[in-house]
Each structure stands twice: as C-alpha cells, then as structure tokens.
C-alpha cells in the first residue's frame, strides 16, 4: 500500500509540473530572465546593439546628480499620483454607491461605466485629444455657452497635466466594479438593524459602509499607486511630455532613455529606481493600513 501511494504521489507530481510548465517557461523566459538581465544592465553603459562595458554605479550617480529630467519627471509623476489616485478612489466609491441601488436598468449603467476601462487606450486618448482641443473641443464649446473662455488645455503648462488627470479618472471602471463588489459583500442585516435603530443614510454610510469597504479601498489604493507611477501612453500620445516638460512622466523618461537615446543601461537604472520608489510607498501604505483598514474576522 505504501509503495502504491508513493507511485500515485510521484505521478501526480509529474502531472503537476507538466501542467504548469507552459506558465513556468513563460515566467522564466519573459519575466525572470529580463528582470535579471536588466539588473546587470544597471551597472553597464549598454546600448541597443548589446555593446558596452561595466561602469559600476555611474548610472545611479548620473540619475541623482547629472540628470535634471530625472527629478522633473519624478515630480510630474508624483503630481499625477497625488491628485488622480485620491480622486479616483472618491469617485469610484460614490459611483459604486449609486450603482448598488436596486433600480430598473442598473445593469446598463454598470456596463456604461466599465466600457471606458476596456476600450482601446490609444482610441480613448485620441478622443480626449479632440475633446481638449482649444478651438473646437467639446469642453471649451460647453464653457463658451456660459460665456467662459476655455484654456489651451494641452498647450498650457498649467492645464496640461490636469487634462491628463481628468482623462485618467474617466477610465476608473475597474475600480468602480471592484468597489461595487465590496459593497455587495456587506451583509444587509447590518443596514436593517441600523434602520430599526433609526439611523440616517449618512450614519449608515459612515458607520457601516465605509469601515467594511476599507479592504476594497485599500486594494484600489495600492493598485492605483502602482498604475499611476506607470502613466505613459496618455501624455506620450497627446503632448509628448510638453509643453515645457510639464507632462513629462517618469515612464516617458525611461522610454526615451532606452529607445530614443539608445542608453539601455541608464534606462534599466531608471526602471529599478522606479521599482524602489513604488515599493517604499507601497510598504508605507501597507504599514499604515493597520490603523484604518477593518477586517471582519
């Protein structure tokens, strides 16, 4: 019996590795190897052709002491994250509250809010480029109906990044759906008990909904921070980092360093520095979450 059980265990072990081998090979070839090789590139001045030499920590020193665009792109990205992430969390929560109501046709509205998230990013970005057009864009036309002269959204250093933030907030459908799922996981009995005690809608939201939805908000916060620091496509397509580098994000700096200026070693250095920044901020959020995230267990 023991020998039979060993044969079964060995067969199941072989089947396990056989079934996961496609994913495992893909992970090793397309994830682990590129990550390891990029660490090696950090300490070289390698270009796209693969030629270069070992230079030690010169790339890291260059980023902090010789590259003004390093700080400019990082500050622009921080600006985007600090504004867009809280705004996205708030709007996602409020919209999810509305979509959680039991009304006729609510499925249509849930789908409508989710569609922008799955729509082609390039197509959506080009559409918003037309909406923000200073001369014939929809926003400035709408403002003109009230006698307001709209700004040159994508050509003004003061308004270019807010325009990118507005466009980013428009695609929060995934956060809305996740928040909606968290709301529907709250037991109805809690609201019924609160109603019996005479609690108002505001009290139910602040004393029941918000505490129990904090794990979902925490997840959306972390994912929003990670995604926000990787903002690239929208400013690259609409402004190419302009005007005057006001929308020049960190990911654009990595892309330009690697593929425009042919400095793969320095681009890898910038990428790993971004990883460190995201990791530190995520750890801070994780450490502080114990004071505001409520787990019902």
């Amino acid at each position: 019996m023991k020998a039979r059980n060993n044969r079964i265990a060995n067969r199941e072990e072989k089947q396990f590795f056989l079934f996961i081998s496609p994913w495992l090979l893909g992970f090793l070839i397309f994830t682990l190897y590129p990550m390891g090789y990029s660490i090696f590139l950090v300490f070289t001045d390698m270009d796209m052709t693969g030629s270069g030499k070992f230079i030690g920590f010169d790339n890291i020193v260059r980023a902090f002491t010789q590259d003004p665009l390093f700080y400019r792109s990082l500050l622009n990205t921080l600006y985007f994250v600090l504004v867009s992430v809280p705004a996205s969390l708030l709007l996602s929560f409020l919209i999810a509250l509305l979509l959680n109501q039991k009304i006729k046709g609510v499925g249509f509205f849930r789908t409508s809010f989710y569609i922008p998230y799955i729509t082609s990013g390039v197509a959506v970005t080009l559409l918003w480029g037309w909406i923000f057009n200073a001369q014939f864009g929809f926003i400035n036309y709408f403002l003109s109906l009230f006698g307001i002269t709209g700004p040159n959204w994508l050509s003004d250093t003061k308004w270019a990044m807010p325009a990118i933030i507005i466009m980013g907030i428009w695609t929060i459908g995934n956060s809305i759906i996740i928040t909606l799922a968290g709301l529907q996981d709250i037991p109805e009995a809690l609201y019924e008990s609160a109603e019996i005690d005479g609690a108002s809608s505001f009290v139910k939201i602040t004393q029941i909904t918000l505490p129990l939805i904090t794990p979902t908000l925490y997840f959306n916060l972390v994912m929003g921070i990670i995604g926000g620091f990787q903002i690239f496509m929208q400013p690259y397509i609409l402004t190419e980092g302009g005007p005057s580098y006001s929308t020049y994000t960190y990911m654009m700096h990595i892309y330009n360093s690697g593929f425009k200026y042919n400095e793969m070693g320095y681009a890898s250095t910038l990428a790993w520095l971004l990883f460190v920044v995201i990791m530190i901020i995520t750890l801070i959020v994780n450490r502080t979450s114990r004071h505001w995230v409520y787990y019902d267990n």
Side-chain angles (χ1 to χ4, degrees):
M1 180 65 68
K2 184 177 180 181
R4 181 174 178 273
N5 291 336
N6 289 335
R7 289 196 301 270
I8 294 175
N10 292 333
R11 185 171 66 250
E12 290 179 346
E13 182 178 359
K14 292 178 181 179
Q15 291 175 348
F16 167 76
F17 285 106
L18 177 65
F19 287 133
I20 71 167
S21 59
W23 177 89
L24 189 61
L25 288 174
F27 174 76
L28 293 175
I29 297 173
F30 299 109
T31 302
L32 189 61
Y33 171 73
M35 288 179 62
Y37 189 67
S38 67
I39 294 177
F40 166 73
L41 292 178
V42 169
F43 305 101
T44 69
D45 59 355
M46 199 80 72
D47 57 20
M48 289 289 292
T49 64
S51 61
K53 62 181 184 296
F54 183 81
I55 59 173
F57 294 94
D58 288 357
N59 283 328
I60 299 176
V61 174
R62 173 187 171 185
F64 286 102
T65 62
Q66 303 173 16
D67 185 5
L69 289 180
F70 169 78
Y71 293 102
R72 182 62 184 270
S73 61
L74 184 59
L75 289 176
N76 287 340
T77 307
L78 281 172
Y79 173 33
F80 177 86
V81 171
L82 290 175
V83 177
S84 66
V85 173
S88 298
L89 286 176
L90 178 61
L91 286 176
S92 297
F93 176 71
L94 295 177
I95 295 174
L97 281 177
L98 296 176
L99 297 179
N100 196 38
Q101 304 302 312
K102 297 179 180 179
I103 59 175
K104 186 177 181 180
V106 68
F108 168 78
F109 293 103
R110 292 174 181 175
T111 304
S112 300
F113 278 103
Y114 187 70
I115 285 178
Y117 175 77
I118 61 176
T119 307
S120 171
V122 175
V124 170
T125 302
L126 293 175
L127 173 64
W128 276 96
W130 174 81
I131 293 175
F132 282 122
N133 188 278
Q135 297 180 351
F136 52 82
F138 173 78
I139 293 181
N140 281 2
Y141 170 75
F142 178 78
L143 293 175
S144 67
L145 298 179
F146 300 93
I148 302 174
T149 301
N152 295 323
W153 290 94
L154 300 176
S155 301
D156 191 328
T157 56
K158 295 180 180 180
W159 290 100
M161 184 57 79
I164 301 297
I165 292 172
I166 293 172
M167 181 175 58
I169 292 175
W170 188 70
T171 57
I172 59 173
N174 191 52
S175 298
I176 294 173
I177 295 300
I178 293 174
T179 306
L180 179 61
L183 291 175
Q184 294 179 343
D185 194 45
I186 300 176
E188 287 290 337
L190 297 178
Y191 294 110
E192 294 172 357
S193 300
E195 289 179 358
I196 294 175
D197 292 337
S200 63
S201 298
F202 178 78
V203 172
K204 286 189 290 185
I205 291 175
T206 56
Q207 301 301 320
I208 298 177
T209 305
L210 274 177
L212 295 181
I213 202 69
T214 48
T216 304
L217 297 178
Y218 168 67
F219 174 80
N220 284 336
L221 174 62
V222 173
M223 298 305 296
I225 291 173
I226 296 174
F229 272 101
Q230 299 179 67
I231 181 70
F232 169 77
M233 179 181 60
Q234 295 89 337
Y236 183 78
I237 293 176
L238 291 181
T239 64
E240 295 185 359
S244 300
Y245 293 101
S246 60
T247 60
Y248 191 76
T249 63
Y250 196 90
M251 286 299 297
M252 291 181 64
H253 194 37
I254 294 176
Y255 175 83
N256 287 338
S257 298
F259 296 99
K260 186 176 181 179
Y261 304 122
N262 198 25
E263 298 178 320
M264 297 305 297
Y266 186 61
S268 298
T269 302
L270 294 175
W272 279 103
L273 289 175
L274 177 62
F275 170 78
V276 172
V277 171
I278 294 176
M279 182 179 65
I280 292 174
I281 295 178
T282 304
L283 289 175
I284 293 174
V285 173
N286 180 62
R287 184 62 61 88
T288 58
S289 65
R290 66 185 66 177
H291 302 292
W292 61 276
V293 178
Y294 172 77
Y295 294 100
D296 188 16
N297 52 23

